């Protein structure tokens, strides 16, 4: 198991979170756009709530695909948007900080994965955010009610899975 992040601070946090019983974990400071691993090195590539933050998502997903063995699995937890969202919601600083406005729309996410060479793509919702979550995030904005109404039920936490063809 190799934990990889471009931010040194995250690698330090990863070390602090390890327990004596944890699987031995190697840490690697690297950019997802240029992974320092040979092709077909891993059975699984995983990322928790970070895919939407990659500077060039297409390149990052292609790199993840490259380092997977044939038949390898892509397994990610992320925030996904169900359908198009109004521009004012995307631009809301509070939603951005809350990791919602940067979320990809389902079809867009699937498209990026297909373009990178993945197949058998699935998205399993684990939490659908109703009205309360967006309302709390944008309460200080003058048009908070409209933004919250637009966002309600449109954002979800999900498991995103895909495979590299065997």
């Amino acid at each position: 198991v190799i934990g990889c992040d471009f931010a040194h601070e995250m690698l330090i946090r990863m070390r602090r979170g390890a327990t004596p019983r944890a699987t031995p974990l190697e840490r690697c400071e690297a950019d997802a756009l240029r992974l320092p691993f040979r092709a077909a090195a891993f059975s699984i590539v995983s990322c928790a709530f970070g895919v939407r933050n990659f500077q060039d998502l297409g390149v990052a997903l292609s790199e993840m695909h490259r380092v997977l063995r044939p038949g390898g699995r892509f397994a990610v937890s992320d925030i996904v948007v169900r359908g198009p969202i109004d521009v004012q919601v995307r631009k809301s600083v509070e939603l951005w900080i809350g990791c919602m406005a940067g979320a990809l729309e389902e079809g867009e996410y699937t498209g990026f994965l297909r373009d990178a060479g993945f197949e058998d793509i699935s998205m399993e919702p684990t939490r659908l955010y109703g009205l309360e979550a967006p309302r709390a995030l944008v309460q200080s904005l003058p048009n908070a009610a409209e933004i919250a109404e637009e966002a309600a039920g449109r954002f979800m936490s999900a498991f995103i899975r895909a495979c590299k063809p065997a």
Side-chain angles (χ1 to χ4, degrees):
V1 175
I2 299 175
C4 190
D5 203 293
F6 75 98
H8 185 72
E9 176 61 31
M10 293 306 290
L11 296 172
I12 292 169
R13 287 182 184 196
M14 193 185 310
R15 185 172 290 119
R16 283 188 208 138
T19 63
R21 291 185 180 178
T23 302
L25 181 69
E26 190 177 318
R27 291 159 193 88
C28 174
E29 190 169 338
D31 188 336
L33 305 181
R34 291 175 300 283
L35 293 171
F37 309 112
R38 65 178 169 74
F42 299 99
S43 299
I44 299 172
V45 171
S46 183
C47 182
F49 299 99
V51 168
R52 67 187 171 279
N53 297 321
F54 294 138
Q55 192 173 17
D56 186 328
L57 182 57
V59 171
L61 291 175
S62 291
E63 273 293 278
M64 290 179 195
H65 187 272
R66 180 186 68 79
V67 301
L68 274 175
R69 294 179 182 134
R73 295 181 292 151
F74 173 88
V76 167
S77 294
D78 214 342
I79 304 288
V80 180
V81 181
R82 298 186 126 174
I85 293 293
D86 188 274
V87 162
Q88 69 176 345
V89 175
R90 290 242 180 233
K91 288 185 177 180
S92 165
V93 174
E94 286 84 354
L95 282 175
W96 188 265
I97 291 168
C99 297
M100 290 185 170
L104 294 171
E105 189 272 323
E106 283 176 289
E108 185 180 21
Y109 212 127
T110 300
F112 272 111
L113 287 166
R114 277 200 186 100
D115 290 349
F118 289 100
E119 60 184 24
D120 299 326
I121 301 163
S122 68
M123 292 192 188
E124 177 187 338
T126 56
R127 179 179 179 192
L128 192 59
Y129 296 93
L131 187 58
E132 292 310 310
R135 184 182 288 152
L137 291 168
V138 298
Q139 63 187 346
S140 64
L141 298 178
N143 56 346
E146 293 170 32
I147 291 174
E149 190 66 38
E150 172 74 17
R154 303 293 291 286
F155 291 89
M156 67 177 175
S157 293
F159 288 133
I160 297 104
R161 296 179 181 95
C163 292
K164 181 174 182 174

